[in-house]
Amino acid sequence: MPTVTLDTPLGPLTLVSDGQALTAATFASAEAGSPGAGSPGAGGPGADSVLADARRQLAAYFAGEPVAFSVPVRPEGTPFQRRVWAALAQIPHGATVGYGALAARIGDPRAAQAVGAANGRNPVVVVVPCHRVVGADGALVGYAGGLGRKRALLDLESRQQQLF
């Protein structure tokens, strides 16, 4: 599958496409020796329009521009995980929601822990905004990319919200 790594202010973000949709966007470890910004993996960034669109949209997002992501996504997961990820995509830019509230949105108000587990397994970070889910009291909890990245993403979106 075509892959490219984008340098971001929060570290390398590796993007994977199946040629029709973005299937993964994960923060890579700087020590992993992954390709730098614009460096091709299989197929190269020019060979895949999905990767080109994702790179363009993410670069604008991290540059502080208000972006409504339009790149198609197709994360692989269980039916429940896909329901949670679809609900994540509906959280407005600059907003946050609690795990319990997200569970209620998918029609299973007692599934807050399961929602948290699915949220933590989101394979398409930033574009599918799992960072917008917070604890019931608004506290920053649980982000696979680390709470520092979660705070930075929310702060970035707060600044962008003024431009939306």
Side-chain angles (χ1 to χ4, degrees), residues 3-7 11-14 26-37 39-41:
T3 303
V4 68
T5 299
L6 178 68
D7 283 334
L13 184 63
T14 301
T26 56
F27 281 109
S29 169
E31 302 85 46
S34 53
S39 297

Side-chain angles (χ1 to χ4, degrees), residues 79-99:
F80 179 79
Q81 288 171 332
R82 290 192 308 266
R83 279 182 32 222
V84 171
W85 299 334
L88 291 174
Q90 300 305 310
I91 301 170
H93 188 89
T96 59
V97 65
Y99 292 97

Side-chain angles (χ1 to χ4, degrees), residues 16 33 36-37 60 72 104 114 145 153:
V16 180
L153 290 167

